[in-house]
Amino acid sequence: MTSPALFKNPVPEVPAVLLDALRLARRVVVFSGAGMSAESGIPIFRDAMHGLWAQFSPHELATPEGWEADPARVWAWYEWRRGLVMRAAPHAGHMALGQLASALSRFAGHDVVVDAVTQNVDDLHERAGVKGVQHLHGSLFAPRCSACGQPAEFAGVPPVEPVASLVPPRCKHCQGFIRPGVVWFGESLPQDAWQRTEALMAQCDVLLVVGTSGVVYPAAGLPAAARQAGKWVAEINPTASELSSHIHLHWQTTAAQGLGSLLQALTTRGTA
Ligand SMILES: [Zn+2]
């Protein structure tokens, strides 16, 4: 027989102060970053630049100038990354986020609205059932025309093995090249997502920051601004970040473990 100790639940204990804050909250914003995707096996930008891509700089792959110089190389890079995401699956943290509003409403005994804002360009939140996600850095799944800006469609499935060059599809309105729907270095954040995020942050009671190192501005400034505006701000992150000393709680755990055990705690205590 196997020792029961081997089956000890590794789920981390949910900090009491977090449950106390959530019990009073009517609106919660979850703000996620690269750590959330990394747990699904999606490499962060620089880690993805290996193999074929190691010979290129971020400037060549992810700037308007890099696109102008070689659209087929840039399109190949983003199609490869889209393929990586398509072969990945949402983890327990994404799944918990999809159920968080209903679990919180039962736990608190009043309706709770949960909104999600992410710096991630994948679609794992959506695939876990999270609605209305604000993508501050755009999305790998929202291509648009580089000339007229109309939303566009992919020509097919991305190649499994990386290729150095893939001619982008053409816009059916103006024949311009279709470009990735992500925000490149040197570009502004999408204005509608940014304005909605600012509104959500202003309305929320609790801000839960998950898996973001807090270094990419202007998004990185949101948690500190929320704290200054009187919001209760917690961070779920396995390592301390630049945010940690400026907020109410740094819960040292991963996105999958933290959000997963939070959902479990809300569910068991909410029905007691
Ligand atoms: Zn067009």
PDB file of all heavy atoms in Angstrom, residues 32-43 81-82 84-86 88-91 94 118-128 133-135 137-142 182:
ATOM      1  N   SER A  32      -3.914  39.660 -14.982  1.00  0.00           N
ATOM      2  CA  SER A  32      -2.949  38.573 -15.143  1.00  0.00           C
ATOM      3  C   SER A  32      -1.818  38.931 -16.088  1.00  0.00           C
ATOM      4  O   SER A  32      -1.955  39.786 -16.964  1.00  0.00           O
ATOM      5  CB  SER A  32      -3.659  37.310 -15.620  1.00  0.00           C
ATOM      6  OG  SER A  32      -4.219  37.522 -16.897  1.00  0.00           O
ATOM      7  N   GLY A  33      -0.700  38.227 -15.894  1.00  0.00           N
ATOM      8  CA  GLY A  33       0.476  38.444 -16.726  1.00  0.00           C
ATOM      9  C   GLY A  33       1.112  37.136 -17.147  1.00  0.00           C
ATOM     10  O   GLY A  33       0.513  36.057 -17.012  1.00  0.00           O
ATOM     11  N   ALA A  34       2.345  37.226 -17.608  1.00  0.00           N
ATOM     12  CA  ALA A  34       3.018  36.095 -18.263  1.00  0.00           C
ATOM     13  C   ALA A  34       3.093  34.832 -17.405  1.00  0.00           C
ATOM     14  O   ALA A  34       3.056  33.724 -17.924  1.00  0.00           O
ATOM     15  CB  ALA A  34       4.426  36.514 -18.680  1.00  0.00           C
ATOM     16  N   GLY A  35       3.193  35.001 -16.071  1.00  0.00           N
ATOM     17  CA  GLY A  35       3.287  33.828 -15.205  1.00  0.00           C
ATOM     18  C   GLY A  35       2.073  32.924 -15.327  1.00  0.00           C
ATOM     19  O   GLY A  35       2.175  31.697 -15.188  1.00  0.00           O
ATOM     20  N   MET A  36       0.929  33.537 -15.588  1.00  0.00           N
ATOM     21  CA  MET A  36      -0.309  32.767 -15.754  1.00  0.00           C
ATOM     22  C   MET A  36      -0.206  31.854 -16.980  1.00  0.00           C
ATOM     23  O   MET A  36      -0.581  30.692 -16.932  1.00  0.00           O
ATOM     24  CB  MET A  36      -1.470  33.753 -15.907  1.00  0.00           C
ATOM     25  CG  MET A  36      -2.838  33.133 -15.986  1.00  0.00           C
ATOM     26  SD  MET A  36      -3.684  33.222 -14.408  1.00  0.00           S
ATOM     27  CE  MET A  36      -5.302  32.590 -14.861  1.00  0.00           C
ATOM     28  N   SER A  37       0.322  32.369 -18.078  1.00  0.00           N
ATOM     29  CA  SER A  37       0.469  31.569 -19.301  1.00  0.00           C
ATOM     30  C   SER A  37       1.605  30.556 -19.180  1.00  0.00           C
ATOM     31  O   SER A  37       1.510  29.448 -19.709  1.00  0.00           O
ATOM     32  CB  SER A  37       0.762  32.478 -20.495  1.00  0.00           C
ATOM     33  OG  SER A  37      -0.304  33.362 -20.712  1.00  0.00           O
ATOM     34  N   ALA A  38       2.667  30.946 -18.483  1.00  0.00           N
ATOM     35  CA  ALA A  38       3.845  30.073 -18.382  1.00  0.00           C
ATOM     36  C   ALA A  38       3.473  28.732 -17.767  1.00  0.00           C
ATOM     37  O   ALA A  38       4.022  27.691 -18.147  1.00  0.00           O
ATOM     38  CB  ALA A  38       4.926  30.754 -17.551  1.00  0.00           C
ATOM     39  N   GLU A  39       2.528  28.744 -16.848  1.00  0.00           N
ATOM     40  CA  GLU A  39       2.127  27.491 -16.211  1.00  0.00           C
ATOM     41  C   GLU A  39       1.368  26.564 -17.159  1.00  0.00           C
ATOM     42  O   GLU A  39       1.197  25.390 -16.858  1.00  0.00           O
ATOM     43  CB  GLU A  39       1.269  27.779 -14.975  1.00  0.00           C
ATOM     44  CG  GLU A  39       2.086  27.886 -13.723  1.00  0.00           C
ATOM     45  CD  GLU A  39       1.206  28.039 -12.515  1.00  0.00           C
ATOM     46  OE1 GLU A  39       0.697  29.149 -12.287  1.00  0.00           O
ATOM     47  OE2 GLU A  39       1.009  27.049 -11.810  1.00  0.00           O
ATOM     48  N   SER A  40       0.920  27.096 -18.271  1.00  0.00           N
ATOM     49  CA  SER A  40       0.324  26.238 -19.303  1.00  0.00           C
ATOM     50  C   SER A  40       1.371  25.840 -20.339  1.00  0.00           C
ATOM     51  O   SER A  40       1.046  25.279 -21.382  1.00  0.00           O
ATOM     52  CB  SER A  40      -0.839  26.959 -20.005  1.00  0.00           C
ATOM     53  OG  SER A  40      -2.009  26.878 -19.220  1.00  0.00           O
ATOM     54  N   GLY A  41       2.627  26.182 -20.059  1.00  0.00           N
ATOM     55  CA  GLY A  41       3.714  25.793 -20.960  1.00  0.00           C
ATOM     56  C   GLY A  41       3.940  26.769 -22.098  1.00  0.00           C
ATOM     57  O   GLY A  41       4.643  26.456 -23.053  1.00  0.00           O
ATOM     58  N   ILE A  42       3.351  27.960 -22.019  1.00  0.00           N
ATOM     59  CA  ILE A  42       3.559  28.961 -23.066  1.00  0.00           C
ATOM     60  C   ILE A  42       4.748  29.836 -22.679  1.00  0.00           C
ATOM     61  O   ILE A  42       4.712  30.500 -21.645  1.00  0.00           O
ATOM     62  CB  ILE A  42       2.289  29.814 -23.256  1.00  0.00           C
ATOM     63  CG1 ILE A  42       1.154  28.901 -23.734  1.00  0.00           C
ATOM     64  CG2 ILE A  42       2.537  30.944 -24.239  1.00  0.00           C
ATOM     65  CD1 ILE A  42      -0.174  29.573 -23.811  1.00  0.00           C
ATOM     66  N   PRO A  43       5.809  29.798 -23.492  1.00  0.00           N
ATOM     67  CA  PRO A  43       7.000  30.554 -23.111  1.00  0.00           C
ATOM     68  C   PRO A  43       6.767  32.057 -23.194  1.00  0.00           C
ATOM     69  O   PRO A  43       5.992  32.522 -24.035  1.00  0.00           O
ATOM     70  CB  PRO A  43       8.048  30.109 -24.137  1.00  0.00           C
ATOM     71  CG  PRO A  43       7.263  29.612 -25.308  1.00  0.00           C
ATOM     72  CD  PRO A  43       5.950  29.110 -24.774  1.00  0.00           C
ATOM     73  N   ARG A  81       3.877  31.094 -32.837  1.00  0.00           N
ATOM     74  CA  ARG A  81       3.448  31.291 -31.439  1.00  0.00           C
ATOM     75  C   ARG A  81       1.959  30.980 -31.265  1.00  0.00           C
ATOM     76  O   ARG A  81       1.540  30.449 -30.238  1.00  0.00           O
ATOM     77  CB  ARG A  81       3.772  32.724 -30.987  1.00  0.00           C
ATOM     78  CG  ARG A  81       5.288  32.934 -30.855  1.00  0.00           C
ATOM     79  CD  ARG A  81       5.627  34.322 -30.391  1.00  0.00           C
ATOM     80  NE  ARG A  81       5.057  34.609 -29.100  1.00  0.00           N
ATOM     81  CZ  ARG A  81       4.729  35.837 -28.683  1.00  0.00           C
ATOM     82  NH1 ARG A  81       4.912  36.875 -29.478  1.00  0.00           N
ATOM     83  NH2 ARG A  81       4.224  36.026 -27.492  1.00  0.00           N
ATOM     84  N   ARG A  82       1.143  31.292 -32.274  1.00  0.00           N
ATOM     85  CA  ARG A  82      -0.277  30.939 -32.211  1.00  0.00           C
ATOM     86  C   ARG A  82      -0.426  29.418 -32.126  1.00  0.00           C
ATOM     87  O   ARG A  82      -1.249  28.900 -31.363  1.00  0.00           O
ATOM     88  CB  ARG A  82      -1.013  31.481 -33.451  1.00  0.00           C
ATOM     89  CG  ARG A  82      -2.504  31.192 -33.448  1.00  0.00           C
ATOM     90  CD  ARG A  82      -3.228  32.017 -34.497  1.00  0.00           C
ATOM     91  NE  ARG A  82      -2.990  31.610 -35.865  1.00  0.00           N
ATOM     92  CZ  ARG A  82      -3.799  30.816 -36.580  1.00  0.00           C
ATOM     93  NH1 ARG A  82      -4.913  30.345 -36.045  1.00  0.00           N
ATOM     94  NH2 ARG A  82      -3.502  30.507 -37.829  1.00  0.00           N
ATOM     95  N   LEU A  84       1.741  27.322 -30.813  1.00  0.00           N
ATOM     96  CA  LEU A  84       2.113  26.902 -29.456  1.00  0.00           C
ATOM     97  C   LEU A  84       0.920  27.029 -28.509  1.00  0.00           C
ATOM     98  O   LEU A  84       0.652  26.148 -27.695  1.00  0.00           O
ATOM     99  CB  LEU A  84       3.258  27.786 -28.903  1.00  0.00           C
ATOM    100  CG  LEU A  84       4.654  27.644 -29.487  1.00  0.00           C
ATOM    101  CD1 LEU A  84       5.608  28.592 -28.767  1.00  0.00           C
ATOM    102  CD2 LEU A  84       5.152  26.208 -29.362  1.00  0.00           C
ATOM    103  N   VAL A  85       0.213  28.143 -28.636  1.00  0.00           N
ATOM    104  CA  VAL A  85      -0.938  28.377 -27.753  1.00  0.00           C
ATOM    105  C   VAL A  85      -2.060  27.376 -28.057  1.00  0.00           C
ATOM    106  O   VAL A  85      -2.690  26.831 -27.143  1.00  0.00           O
ATOM    107  CB  VAL A  85      -1.446  29.829 -27.911  1.00  0.00           C
ATOM    108  CG1 VAL A  85      -2.770  30.017 -27.182  1.00  0.00           C
ATOM    109  CG2 VAL A  85      -0.399  30.812 -27.408  1.00  0.00           C
ATOM    110  N   MET A  86      -2.287  27.114 -29.344  1.00  0.00           N
ATOM    111  CA  MET A  86      -3.368  26.191 -29.706  1.00  0.00           C
ATOM    112  C   MET A  86      -3.117  24.786 -29.155  1.00  0.00           C
ATOM    113  O   MET A  86      -4.056  24.049 -28.856  1.00  0.00           O
ATOM    114  CB  MET A  86      -3.528  26.148 -31.234  1.00  0.00           C
ATOM    115  CG  MET A  86      -4.146  27.428 -31.784  1.00  0.00           C
ATOM    116  SD  MET A  86      -4.079  27.537 -33.586  1.00  0.00           S
ATOM    117  CE  MET A  86      -5.272  26.297 -34.049  1.00  0.00           C
ATOM    118  N   ALA A  88      -1.569  24.246 -26.325  1.00  0.00           N
ATOM    119  CA  ALA A  88      -1.561  24.323 -24.858  1.00  0.00           C
ATOM    120  C   ALA A  88      -3.007  24.299 -24.344  1.00  0.00           C
ATOM    121  O   ALA A  88      -3.950  24.461 -25.109  1.00  0.00           O
ATOM    122  CB  ALA A  88      -0.872  25.609 -24.408  1.00  0.00           C
ATOM    123  N   ALA A  89      -3.130  24.068 -23.056  1.00  0.00           N
ATOM    124  CA  ALA A  89      -4.477  24.006 -22.461  1.00  0.00           C
ATOM    125  C   ALA A  89      -4.546  24.917 -21.237  1.00  0.00           C
ATOM    126  O   ALA A  89      -3.537  25.110 -20.554  1.00  0.00           O
ATOM    127  CB  ALA A  89      -4.790  22.571 -22.057  1.00  0.00           C
ATOM    128  N   PRO A  90      -5.729  25.461 -20.957  1.00  0.00           N
ATOM    129  CA  PRO A  90      -5.883  26.260 -19.739  1.00  0.00           C
ATOM    130  C   PRO A  90      -5.571  25.394 -18.509  1.00  0.00           C
ATOM    131  O   PRO A  90      -5.873  24.205 -18.519  1.00  0.00           O
ATOM    132  CB  PRO A  90      -7.365  26.661 -19.737  1.00  0.00           C
ATOM    133  CG  PRO A  90      -7.890  26.343 -21.088  1.00  0.00           C
ATOM    134  CD  PRO A  90      -6.983  25.318 -21.703  1.00  0.00           C
ATOM    135  N   HIS A  91      -4.975  25.987 -17.483  1.00  0.00           N
ATOM    136  CA  HIS A  91      -4.673  25.230 -16.262  1.00  0.00           C
ATOM    137  C   HIS A  91      -5.725  25.516 -15.184  1.00  0.00           C
ATOM    138  O   HIS A  91      -6.709  26.243 -15.426  1.00  0.00           O
ATOM    139  CB  HIS A  91      -3.251  25.515 -15.772  1.00  0.00           C
ATOM    140  CG  HIS A  91      -2.956  26.963 -15.514  1.00  0.00           C
ATOM    141  ND1 HIS A  91      -3.623  27.715 -14.586  1.00  0.00           N
ATOM    142  CD2 HIS A  91      -2.044  27.795 -16.089  1.00  0.00           C
ATOM    143  CE1 HIS A  91      -3.129  28.939 -14.568  1.00  0.00           C
ATOM    144  NE2 HIS A  91      -2.178  29.024 -15.485  1.00  0.00           N
ATOM    145  N   HIS A  94      -6.771  29.162 -14.683  1.00  0.00           N
ATOM    146  CA  HIS A  94      -7.710  29.688 -15.687  1.00  0.00           C
ATOM    147  C   HIS A  94      -9.121  29.157 -15.408  1.00  0.00           C
ATOM    148  O   HIS A  94     -10.106  29.910 -15.460  1.00  0.00           O
ATOM    149  CB  HIS A  94      -7.304  29.247 -17.095  1.00  0.00           C
ATOM    150  CG  HIS A  94      -6.020  29.824 -17.605  1.00  0.00           C
ATOM    151  ND1 HIS A  94      -4.881  29.084 -17.752  1.00  0.00           N
ATOM    152  CD2 HIS A  94      -5.701  31.075 -18.019  1.00  0.00           C
ATOM    153  CE1 HIS A  94      -3.912  29.848 -18.245  1.00  0.00           C
ATOM    154  NE2 HIS A  94      -4.385  31.064 -18.414  1.00  0.00           N
ATOM    155  N   THR A 118      -5.880  41.231 -18.924  1.00  0.00           N
ATOM    156  CA  THR A 118      -4.645  40.465 -19.065  1.00  0.00           C
ATOM    157  C   THR A 118      -3.640  41.159 -19.959  1.00  0.00           C
ATOM    158  O   THR A 118      -4.018  41.902 -20.876  1.00  0.00           O
ATOM    159  CB  THR A 118      -4.933  39.038 -19.598  1.00  0.00           C
ATOM    160  OG1 THR A 118      -3.725  38.268 -19.541  1.00  0.00           O
ATOM    161  CG2 THR A 118      -5.443  39.047 -21.039  1.00  0.00           C
ATOM    162  N   GLN A 119      -2.385  40.908 -19.666  1.00  0.00           N
ATOM    163  CA  GLN A 119      -1.304  41.342 -20.554  1.00  0.00           C
ATOM    164  C   GLN A 119      -0.953  40.226 -21.529  1.00  0.00           C
ATOM    165  O   GLN A 119      -0.098  40.403 -22.387  1.00  0.00           O
ATOM    166  CB  GLN A 119      -0.064  41.695 -19.720  1.00  0.00           C
ATOM    167  CG  GLN A 119      -0.282  42.869 -18.786  1.00  0.00           C
ATOM    168  CD  GLN A 119       0.798  42.922 -17.719  1.00  0.00           C
ATOM    169  OE1 GLN A 119       0.780  42.194 -16.729  1.00  0.00           O
ATOM    170  NE2 GLN A 119       1.758  43.785 -17.924  1.00  0.00           N
ATOM    171  N   ASN A 120      -1.590  39.074 -21.373  1.00  0.00           N
ATOM    172  CA  ASN A 120      -1.262  37.916 -22.202  1.00  0.00           C
ATOM    173  C   ASN A 120      -1.984  37.989 -23.546  1.00  0.00           C
ATOM    174  O   ASN A 120      -3.119  38.445 -23.626  1.00  0.00           O
ATOM    175  CB  ASN A 120      -1.631  36.623 -21.478  1.00  0.00           C
ATOM    176  CG  ASN A 120      -0.886  36.502 -20.152  1.00  0.00           C
ATOM    177  OD1 ASN A 120       0.156  37.136 -19.982  1.00  0.00           O
ATOM    178  ND2 ASN A 120      -1.411  35.726 -19.237  1.00  0.00           N
ATOM    179  N   VAL A 121      -1.312  37.480 -24.566  1.00  0.00           N
ATOM    180  CA  VAL A 121      -1.869  37.549 -25.925  1.00  0.00           C
ATOM    181  C   VAL A 121      -2.493  36.216 -26.348  1.00  0.00           C
ATOM    182  O   VAL A 121      -2.934  36.069 -27.486  1.00  0.00           O
ATOM    183  CB  VAL A 121      -0.800  37.995 -26.953  1.00  0.00           C
ATOM    184  CG1 VAL A 121      -0.382  39.433 -26.692  1.00  0.00           C
ATOM    185  CG2 VAL A 121       0.420  37.081 -26.940  1.00  0.00           C
ATOM    186  N   ASP A 122      -2.528  35.254 -25.424  1.00  0.00           N
ATOM    187  CA  ASP A 122      -3.163  33.966 -25.755  1.00  0.00           C
ATOM    188  C   ASP A 122      -4.656  34.032 -25.434  1.00  0.00           C
ATOM    189  O   ASP A 122      -5.175  35.058 -24.988  1.00  0.00           O
ATOM    190  CB  ASP A 122      -2.472  32.832 -24.979  1.00  0.00           C
ATOM    191  CG  ASP A 122      -2.511  33.070 -23.481  1.00  0.00           C
ATOM    192  OD1 ASP A 122      -3.619  33.070 -22.910  1.00  0.00           O
ATOM    193  OD2 ASP A 122      -1.434  33.271 -22.876  1.00  0.00           O
ATOM    194  N   ASP A 123      -5.358  32.906 -25.689  1.00  0.00           N
ATOM    195  CA  ASP A 123      -6.811  32.868 -25.467  1.00  0.00           C
ATOM    196  C   ASP A 123      -7.199  31.881 -24.360  1.00  0.00           C
ATOM    197  O   ASP A 123      -8.300  31.356 -24.359  1.00  0.00           O
ATOM    198  CB  ASP A 123      -7.521  32.484 -26.783  1.00  0.00           C
ATOM    199  CG  ASP A 123      -7.135  31.090 -27.267  1.00  0.00           C
ATOM    200  OD1 ASP A 123      -6.159  30.513 -26.734  1.00  0.00           O
ATOM    201  OD2 ASP A 123      -7.813  30.570 -28.182  1.00  0.00           O
ATOM    202  N   LEU A 124      -6.264  31.644 -23.429  1.00  0.00           N
ATOM    203  CA  LEU A 124      -6.531  30.617 -22.413  1.00  0.00           C
ATOM    204  C   LEU A 124      -7.605  31.044 -21.411  1.00  0.00           C
ATOM    205  O   LEU A 124      -8.348  30.202 -20.906  1.00  0.00           O
ATOM    206  CB  LEU A 124      -5.233  30.235 -21.684  1.00  0.00           C
ATOM    207  CG  LEU A 124      -4.181  29.573 -22.586  1.00  0.00           C
ATOM    208  CD1 LEU A 124      -2.919  29.262 -21.790  1.00  0.00           C
ATOM    209  CD2 LEU A 124      -4.723  28.309 -23.230  1.00  0.00           C
ATOM    210  N   HIS A 125      -7.695  32.334 -21.114  1.00  0.00           N
ATOM    211  CA  HIS A 125      -8.788  32.793 -20.240  1.00  0.00           C
ATOM    212  C   HIS A 125     -10.137  32.465 -20.890  1.00  0.00           C
ATOM    213  O   HIS A 125     -11.030  31.920 -20.260  1.00  0.00           O
ATOM    214  CB  HIS A 125      -8.721  34.301 -20.007  1.00  0.00           C
ATOM    215  CG  HIS A 125      -7.553  34.765 -19.183  1.00  0.00           C
ATOM    216  ND1 HIS A 125      -6.260  34.727 -19.625  1.00  0.00           N
ATOM    217  CD2 HIS A 125      -7.497  35.301 -17.948  1.00  0.00           C
ATOM    218  CE1 HIS A 125      -5.456  35.211 -18.693  1.00  0.00           C
ATOM    219  NE2 HIS A 125      -6.177  35.577 -17.659  1.00  0.00           N
ATOM    220  N   GLU A 126     -10.250  32.824 -22.148  1.00  0.00           N
ATOM    221  CA  GLU A 126     -11.517  32.608 -22.867  1.00  0.00           C
ATOM    222  C   GLU A 126     -11.853  31.121 -22.937  1.00  0.00           C
ATOM    223  O   GLU A 126     -13.003  30.720 -22.765  1.00  0.00           O
ATOM    224  CB  GLU A 126     -11.425  33.173 -24.293  1.00  0.00           C
ATOM    225  CG  GLU A 126     -11.503  34.690 -24.375  1.00  0.00           C
ATOM    226  CD  GLU A 126     -10.154  35.382 -24.206  1.00  0.00           C
ATOM    227  OE1 GLU A 126      -9.157  34.709 -23.820  1.00  0.00           O
ATOM    228  OE2 GLU A 126     -10.094  36.604 -24.447  1.00  0.00           O
ATOM    229  N   ARG A 127     -10.829  30.298 -23.204  1.00  0.00           N
ATOM    230  CA  ARG A 127     -11.085  28.856 -23.316  1.00  0.00           C
ATOM    231  C   ARG A 127     -11.474  28.252 -21.969  1.00  0.00           C
ATOM    232  O   ARG A 127     -12.001  27.137 -21.915  1.00  0.00           O
ATOM    233  CB  ARG A 127      -9.855  28.155 -23.913  1.00  0.00           C
ATOM    234  CG  ARG A 127      -9.819  28.325 -25.442  1.00  0.00           C
ATOM    235  CD  ARG A 127      -8.438  28.138 -26.001  1.00  0.00           C
ATOM    236  NE  ARG A 127      -7.903  26.812 -25.769  1.00  0.00           N
ATOM    237  CZ  ARG A 127      -6.632  26.465 -25.991  1.00  0.00           C
ATOM    238  NH1 ARG A 127      -5.783  27.359 -26.455  1.00  0.00           N
ATOM    239  NH2 ARG A 127      -6.220  25.250 -25.768  1.00  0.00           N
ATOM    240  N   ALA A 128     -11.199  28.959 -20.872  1.00  0.00           N
ATOM    241  CA  ALA A 128     -11.633  28.501 -19.555  1.00  0.00           C
ATOM    242  C   ALA A 128     -12.999  29.086 -19.179  1.00  0.00           C
ATOM    243  O   ALA A 128     -13.452  28.932 -18.047  1.00  0.00           O
ATOM    244  CB  ALA A 128     -10.594  28.883 -18.501  1.00  0.00           C
ATOM    245  N   VAL A 133     -12.794  39.434 -21.528  1.00  0.00           N
ATOM    246  CA  VAL A 133     -11.409  39.681 -21.108  1.00  0.00           C
ATOM    247  C   VAL A 133     -10.846  40.895 -21.855  1.00  0.00           C
ATOM    248  O   VAL A 133     -10.988  40.996 -23.076  1.00  0.00           O
ATOM    249  CB  VAL A 133     -10.529  38.449 -21.428  1.00  0.00           C
ATOM    250  CG1 VAL A 133      -9.097  38.671 -20.953  1.00  0.00           C
ATOM    251  CG2 VAL A 133     -11.127  37.187 -20.807  1.00  0.00           C
ATOM    252  N   GLN A 134     -10.240  41.802 -21.117  1.00  0.00           N
ATOM    253  CA  GLN A 134      -9.572  42.951 -21.738  1.00  0.00           C
ATOM    254  C   GLN A 134      -8.121  42.566 -22.014  1.00  0.00           C
ATOM    255  O   GLN A 134      -7.374  42.265 -21.075  1.00  0.00           O
ATOM    256  CB  GLN A 134      -9.624  44.175 -20.820  1.00  0.00           C
ATOM    257  CG  GLN A 134     -11.021  44.623 -20.466  1.00  0.00           C
ATOM    258  CD  GLN A 134     -11.851  44.979 -21.687  1.00  0.00           C
ATOM    259  OE1 GLN A 134     -11.363  45.618 -22.620  1.00  0.00           O
ATOM    260  NE2 GLN A 134     -13.106  44.549 -21.688  1.00  0.00           N
ATOM    261  N   HIS A 135      -7.736  42.578 -23.280  1.00  0.00           N
ATOM    262  CA  HIS A 135      -6.371  42.207 -23.663  1.00  0.00           C
ATOM    263  C   HIS A 135      -5.551  43.471 -23.875  1.00  0.00           C
ATOM    264  O   HIS A 135      -5.598  44.073 -24.957  1.00  0.00           O
ATOM    265  CB  HIS A 135      -6.394  41.368 -24.942  1.00  0.00           C
ATOM    266  CG  HIS A 135      -6.789  39.936 -24.721  1.00  0.00           C
ATOM    267  ND1 HIS A 135      -5.881  38.952 -24.435  1.00  0.00           N
ATOM    268  CD2 HIS A 135      -8.002  39.327 -24.724  1.00  0.00           C
ATOM    269  CE1 HIS A 135      -6.500  37.786 -24.285  1.00  0.00           C
ATOM    270  NE2 HIS A 135      -7.797  37.987 -24.455  1.00  0.00           N
ATOM    271  N   HIS A 137      -2.421  43.953 -24.267  1.00  0.00           N
ATOM    272  CA  HIS A 137      -1.347  43.861 -25.256  1.00  0.00           C
ATOM    273  C   HIS A 137      -1.816  43.183 -26.540  1.00  0.00           C
ATOM    274  O   HIS A 137      -1.022  42.652 -27.302  1.00  0.00           O
ATOM    275  CB  HIS A 137      -0.135  43.134 -24.664  1.00  0.00           C
ATOM    276  CG  HIS A 137       0.526  43.904 -23.549  1.00  0.00           C
ATOM    277  ND1 HIS A 137       1.449  43.360 -22.688  1.00  0.00           N
ATOM    278  CD2 HIS A 137       0.376  45.197 -23.152  1.00  0.00           C
ATOM    279  CE1 HIS A 137       1.845  44.283 -21.825  1.00  0.00           C
ATOM    280  NE2 HIS A 137       1.203  45.406 -22.083  1.00  0.00           N
ATOM    281  N   GLY A 138      -3.135  43.196 -26.765  1.00  0.00           N
ATOM    282  CA  GLY A 138      -3.687  42.598 -27.973  1.00  0.00           C
ATOM    283  C   GLY A 138      -3.794  41.085 -27.855  1.00  0.00           C
ATOM    284  O   GLY A 138      -3.689  40.526 -26.765  1.00  0.00           O
ATOM    285  N   SER A 139      -4.017  40.433 -29.002  1.00  0.00           N
ATOM    286  CA  SER A 139      -4.259  38.992 -28.997  1.00  0.00           C
ATOM    287  C   SER A 139      -3.663  38.343 -30.239  1.00  0.00           C
ATOM    288  O   SER A 139      -3.710  38.910 -31.332  1.00  0.00           O
ATOM    289  CB  SER A 139      -5.765  38.728 -28.960  1.00  0.00           C
ATOM    290  OG  SER A 139      -6.038  37.382 -29.270  1.00  0.00           O
ATOM    291  N   LEU A 140      -3.121  37.149 -30.044  1.00  0.00           N
ATOM    292  CA  LEU A 140      -2.645  36.362 -31.190  1.00  0.00           C
ATOM    293  C   LEU A 140      -3.793  35.917 -32.073  1.00  0.00           C
ATOM    294  O   LEU A 140      -3.574  35.434 -33.180  1.00  0.00           O
ATOM    295  CB  LEU A 140      -1.913  35.103 -30.683  1.00  0.00           C
ATOM    296  CG  LEU A 140      -0.560  35.283 -30.004  1.00  0.00           C
ATOM    297  CD1 LEU A 140      -0.138  33.976 -29.345  1.00  0.00           C
ATOM    298  CD2 LEU A 140       0.484  35.725 -31.023  1.00  0.00           C
ATOM    299  N   PHE A 141      -5.012  36.044 -31.572  1.00  0.00           N
ATOM    300  CA  PHE A 141      -6.184  35.493 -32.264  1.00  0.00           C
ATOM    301  C   PHE A 141      -7.084  36.581 -32.852  1.00  0.00           C
ATOM    302  O   PHE A 141      -8.237  36.319 -33.161  1.00  0.00           O
ATOM    303  CB  PHE A 141      -6.957  34.565 -31.311  1.00  0.00           C
ATOM    304  CG  PHE A 141      -6.135  33.378 -30.910  1.00  0.00           C
ATOM    305  CD1 PHE A 141      -5.290  33.423 -29.816  1.00  0.00           C
ATOM    306  CD2 PHE A 141      -6.155  32.211 -31.680  1.00  0.00           C
ATOM    307  CE1 PHE A 141      -4.494  32.337 -29.470  1.00  0.00           C
ATOM    308  CE2 PHE A 141      -5.364  31.121 -31.344  1.00  0.00           C
ATOM    309  CZ  PHE A 141      -4.529  31.180 -30.237  1.00  0.00           C
ATOM    310  N   ALA A 142      -6.568  37.789 -32.947  1.00  0.00           N
ATOM    311  CA  ALA A 142      -7.365  38.889 -33.504  1.00  0.00           C
ATOM    312  C   ALA A 142      -6.588  39.605 -34.605  1.00  0.00           C
ATOM    313  O   ALA A 142      -6.282  40.788 -34.494  1.00  0.00           O
ATOM    314  CB  ALA A 142      -7.749  39.867 -32.393  1.00  0.00           C
ATOM    315  N   VAL A 182      -1.416  41.740 -32.081  1.00  0.00           N
ATOM    316  CA  VAL A 182      -0.712  42.032 -30.835  1.00  0.00           C
ATOM    317  C   VAL A 182      -0.159  43.456 -30.864  1.00  0.00           C
ATOM    318  O   VAL A 182      -0.044  44.064 -31.928  1.00  0.00           O
ATOM    319  CB  VAL A 182       0.453  41.046 -30.599  1.00  0.00           C
ATOM    320  CG1 VAL A 182      -0.053  39.608 -30.543  1.00  0.00           C
ATOM    321  CG2 VAL A 182       1.505  41.203 -31.694  1.00  0.00           C
TER     322      VAL A 182
END
